[in-house]
């Protein structure tokens, strides 16, 4: 039963007042019983809960270390990191909840985290912070929330954890979310918030900071307060917090690397299962949807969900870089570009692409394009080691792409000329970058400074993709007809080691011969 289904067998009673969480969206059709007799009856006769506290989960110690590093960056500052809340999909239905990545990073709380939770790092004296996790405490079975609130009531969404349970599980102090209002009352100019995580909470913090600045200006008779902020602006100190959190995530710890390995292994299983379903896939009018669904099933079985909208692009759809409609047919003779990743329950995600022939054999032109892309990927991988500048990985792949497209006669100049900054003709056939960092977000660490990302020096423990491609649009008259409509991308997830790099997704077939054998063996 969905939370929107009207239970026709419920006693006909006056509609209960809609809760704040529901926003009155369903008040006119509520049949929730309200009699005193019903309240007394539904609140009694329940077995005792098992209140045994868990041992701290594996991620707890790593999260504590991350909080300690963050604390050292912002002495004396109050740091507010929201998980975010449910987001409306339509009327009284919401999207599945996913906590903000910064919140997950600092708490170790992933797919089982509570909507509306907030982590607060409160400065303690001269140095250090006290971490407290605020979330909505579960209601007793003697309360109306238990049975009458479809947003958070346990009768509707299942058991919710107690404060004590979460404190033991995550190794951090906990308080009821209702007490967070006291934090807002103490907000001052030494308060920072992860702005994008929860718009409503950020607005509260902004108003509190404005109020504090105004009161201080009045108390000192100052003409202009030393702190000003317009509600909704990207306040610079908050941007600093987001930047530091992104930069801290550039190098992964042992827990993060293990989670990424698990997500990649699950993704490999999902790819194999897609190949085993090829007969059904090619038999459907919208076979791309079957690919998407088969992979999504594996993602839900082995993890939280897919890490991003899967790209299941057959035939000419493979030339569309972010094809996520996935509503086309899959026919023998086509190439399928499958770009997908399983997101683990910890939220760490894989991001892998393979391009395979539906009938198990590349045509001569398809093979030519495919092996050119693989050569570009291999050239990029070959230079990855600590000390390499990140942008050089892209340059290594582009040198191959320029050379191949020049050899085929597609460029108006030589490969060397095309590689000059003011030319770049070869980029017509690959306009995207070759690499991005990977972790809690598929495009991880996006708010890091350019000098630490694109212009940064690669370090051991970094994880990023290598994903060159070639895309010849169906109507591109700069290439021969036999190339038009072919799109190929090969994407792997790379771990930088102390003396080189490891391709974490190398177990998934990569060469043209390997992929053909893989398809013919139905993904085994």
């Amino acid at each position: 039963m969905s939370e929107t289904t009207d239970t026709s067998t419920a006693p006909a009673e006056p509609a209960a007042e809609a809760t704040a969480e529901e926003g009155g969206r369903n008040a006119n059709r509520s049949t929730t019983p309200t009699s005193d007799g019903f309240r007394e009856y539904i609140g009694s006769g329940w077995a005792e809960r098992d209140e045994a506290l868990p041992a701290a989960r594996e991620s707890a110690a790593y999260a504590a270390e991350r909080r300690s590093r963050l604390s050292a960056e912002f002495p004396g500052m109050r740091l507010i990191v929201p998980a975010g809340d449910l987001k409306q999909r339509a009327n009284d239905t919401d999207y599945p909840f996913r906590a903000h990545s910064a919140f997950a990073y600092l708490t170790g709380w992933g797919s089982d985290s509570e909507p509306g939770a907030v982590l607060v790092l409160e400065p303690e004296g001269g140095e250090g912070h006290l971490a407290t996790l605020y979330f909505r405490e579960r209601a007793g079975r003697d309360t109306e929330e238990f049975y009458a609130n479809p947003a958070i009531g346990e009768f509707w969404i299942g058991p919710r954890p107690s404060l004590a349970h979460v404190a033991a599980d995550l190794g951090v102090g906990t308080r009821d979310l209702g007490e967070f209002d006291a934090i807002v009352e103490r907000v001052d100019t030494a308060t920072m918030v992860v702005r994008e995580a929860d718009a409503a909470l950020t607005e509260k913090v902004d108003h509190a900071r404005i109020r504090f600045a105004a009161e201080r200006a009045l108390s000192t008779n100052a003409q202009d307060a030393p702190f000003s902020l317009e509600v909704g602006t990207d306040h610079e100190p908050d941007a600093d917090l987001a930047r530091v959190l992104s930069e801290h995530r550039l190098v992964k710890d042992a827990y993060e690397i293990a989670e990424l390995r698990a997500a990649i292994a699950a993704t490999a299983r999902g790819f194999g299962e897609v190949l085993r379903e090829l007969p059904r896939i090619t038999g459907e009018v919208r076979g791309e949807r079957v690919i998407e669904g088969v992979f999504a099933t594996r993602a839900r079985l082995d993890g939280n969900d897919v890490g991003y909208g899967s790209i299941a692009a057959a035939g000419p759809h493979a030339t569309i870089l972010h094809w996520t409609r996935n509503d086309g047919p899959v026919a023998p003779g086509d190439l399928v570009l499958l770009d997908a990743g399983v997101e683990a329950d910890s939220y760490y995600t894989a991001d892998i692409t393979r391009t395979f022939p539906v009938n198990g054999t590349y045509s001569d032109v398809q093979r030519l394009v495919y092996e050119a892309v693989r050569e570009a990927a291999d050239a990029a991988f070959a230079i990855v080691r600590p000390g390499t500048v990140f942008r050089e990985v892209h340059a290594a792949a582009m040198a191959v792409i320029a050379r191949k497209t020049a050899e085929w006669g597609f460029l108006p100049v030589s490969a060397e000329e095309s590689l000059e900054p003011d030319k770049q003709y070869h980029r017509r056939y690959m306009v995207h970058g070759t690499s991005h960092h990977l972790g809690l977000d598929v495009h991880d660490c996006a708010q890091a400074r350019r000098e630490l990302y694109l212009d940064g020096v690669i370090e051991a423990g970094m994880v990023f993709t290598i994903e060159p491609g070639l895309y010849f649009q169906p109507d591109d008259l700069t290439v021969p007809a036999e190339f038009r409509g072919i799109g190929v991308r090969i994407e792997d997830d790379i771990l930088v080691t102390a003396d080189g790099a490891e391709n974490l997704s190398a177990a998934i077939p990569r060469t043209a011969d390997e992929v053909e054998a893989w398809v013919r063996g139905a993904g085994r």
Side-chain angles (χ1 to χ4, degrees):
M1 181 181 69
S2 76
E3 69 177 42
T4 61
T5 300
D6 194 354
T7 52
S8 58
T9 57
E13 297 284 349
E17 183 179 353
T19 65
E21 289 81 1
E22 290 177 282
R25 291 178 288 178
N26 244 2
N28 67 337
R29 52 175 289 276
S30 173
T31 59
T32 304
T34 59
S35 68
D36 291 340
F38 174 81
R39 291 193 188 98
E40 181 179 349
Y41 187 64
I42 199 170
S44 62
W46 301 104
E48 291 294 321
R49 296 179 189 265
D50 179 5
E51 299 292 355
L53 298 180
R57 63 178 66 184
E58 183 184 1
S59 61
Y62 292 95
E65 173 61 26
R66 297 165 196 162
R67 294 193 297 270
S68 179
R69 288 178 60 206
L70 186 66
S71 173
E73 296 266 8
F74 296 102
M77 300 294 293
R78 176 182 297 107
L79 309 178
I80 299 175
V81 185
D85 217 332
L86 292 166
K87 294 179 174 61
Q88 183 181 4
R89 181 180 184 274
N91 188 34
D92 57 345
T93 60
D94 298 303
Y95 288 104
F97 176 69
R98 186 194 189 279
H100 191 274
S101 295
F103 177 89
Y105 181 72
L106 293 172
T107 63
W109 217 1
S111 63
D112 57 338
S113 55
E114 285 288 306
V118 187
L119 175 69
V120 177
L121 300 184
E122 188 75 18
E124 286 191 303
E127 295 183 358
H129 288 78
L130 174 66
T132 304
L133 184 56
Y134 294 81
F135 69 96
R136 188 181 290 107
E137 168 73 297
R138 69 184 184 194
R141 287 168 171 164
D142 58 346
T143 66
E144 284 195 23
E145 176 189 297
F146 169 59
Y147 64 88
N149 189 325
I152 59 174
E154 291 192 12
F155 221 104
W156 294 85
I157 65 169
R160 290 172 38 228
S162 67
L163 295 174
H165 180 101
V166 173
D169 189 17
L170 300 180
V172 64
T174 56
R175 289 182 178 274
D176 187 80
L177 186 60
E179 298 183 49
F180 179 71
D181 287 345
I183 297 294
V184 176
E185 290 299 316
R186 297 202 298 273
V187 162
D188 54 17
T189 56
T191 299
M192 306 168 77
V193 62
V194 175
R195 300 188 65 81
E196 67 180 16
D198 189 321
L201 184 147
T202 296
E203 186 175 3
K204 285 184 180 180
V205 172
D206 284 348
H207 280 294
R209 290 192 289 204
I210 291 169
R211 183 175 62 250
F212 174 84
E215 290 172 353
R216 188 168 68 176
L218 287 172
S219 66
T220 58
N221 294 317
Q223 294 298 314
D224 296 300
F227 173 88
S228 63
L229 174 70
E230 292 183 9
V231 174
T233 62
D234 187 17
H235 184 51
E236 187 60 35
D238 294 340
D240 287 343
L241 176 59
R243 173 186 59 77
V244 169
L245 280 167
S246 273
E247 292 171 359
H248 281 190
R249 287 160 53 188
L250 283 166
V251 176
K252 270 55 181 179
D253 58 38
Y255 174 80
E256 293 178 290
I257 292 169
E259 288 298 298
L260 285 165
R261 288 185 187 277
I264 291 164
T267 300
R269 288 190 287 275
F271 276 44
E273 287 166 358
V274 166
L275 296 186
R276 289 196 286 277
E277 290 290 339
L278 276 175
R280 181 161 69 101
I281 290 165
T282 56
E284 291 286 348
V285 173
R286 296 203 286 183
E288 291 175 345
R289 290 276 168 96
V290 182
I291 294 174
E292 179 183 355
V294 169
F295 187 83
T297 299
R298 176 50 52 193
R300 292 291 283 167
L301 288 172
D302 281 0
N304 177 50
D305 207 332
V306 293
Y308 53 95
S310 299
I311 299 170
H317 287 164
T319 67
I320 301 171
L321 299 183
H322 282 178
W323 175 257
T324 56
R325 285 170 55 185
N326 300 336
D327 61 356
V330 178
D334 279 350
L335 294 181
V336 171
L337 188 157
L338 177 56
D339 183 338
V342 172
E343 178 185 82
D345 283 315
S346 59
Y347 292 159
Y348 288 88
T349 184
D351 181 9
I352 297 165
T353 306
R354 291 294 186 265
T355 308
F356 59 87
V358 174
N359 59 7
T361 303
Y362 293 102
S363 71
D364 291 343
V365 175
Q366 289 171 346
R367 175 179 278 266
L368 183 70
V369 175
Y370 185 92
E371 288 291 72
V373 172
R374 184 173 69 87
E375 185 177 335
D378 290 348
F381 178 76
I383 72 165
V384 176
R385 60 182 53 83
T388 301
V389 176
F390 189 70
R391 65 163 58 248
E392 294 173 359
V393 178
H394 174 71
M398 287 302 95
V400 176
I401 296 298
R403 175 166 52 82
K404 290 295 185 179
T405 51
E407 287 175 1
W408 298 337
F410 299 170
L411 305 183
V413 298
S414 68
E416 292 73 21
E417 288 178 279
S418 187
L419 286 165
E420 294 173 6
D422 63 340
K423 301 292 194 301
Q424 300 288 301
Y425 297 116
H426 58 286
R427 295 299 301 277
R428 176 184 179 114
Y429 312 110
M430 181 187 153
V431 298
H432 62 78
T434 302
S435 299
H436 59 78
H437 282 268
L438 184 68
L440 282 166
D441 294 326
V442 65
H443 296 148
D444 211 31
C445 314
Q447 291 163 302
R449 286 169 291 180
R450 184 184 181 91
E451 56 265 34
L452 293 182
Y453 200 128
L454 186 61
D455 296 327
V457 175
I458 292 172
E459 299 180 45
M462 288 182 170
V463 178
F464 50 77
T465 65
I466 290 179
E467 50 176 311
L470 281 168
Y471 315 90
F472 303 113
Q473 301 295 326
D475 57 351
D476 190 341
L477 301 182
T478 68
V479 303
E482 60 268 28
F483 282 81
R484 296 172 197 162
I486 293 177
V488 172
R489 182 163 63 250
I490 302 171
E491 179 180 19
D492 287 292
D493 300 341
I494 310 302
L495 168 66
V496 184
T497 62
D499 56 0
E502 177 187 352
N503 184 345
L504 298 176
S505 48
I508 305 175
R510 295 182 71 254
T511 70
D513 289 343
E514 290 170 345
V515 173
E516 287 181 340
W518 188 38
V519 177
R520 292 169 187 165
R524 294 179 174 85

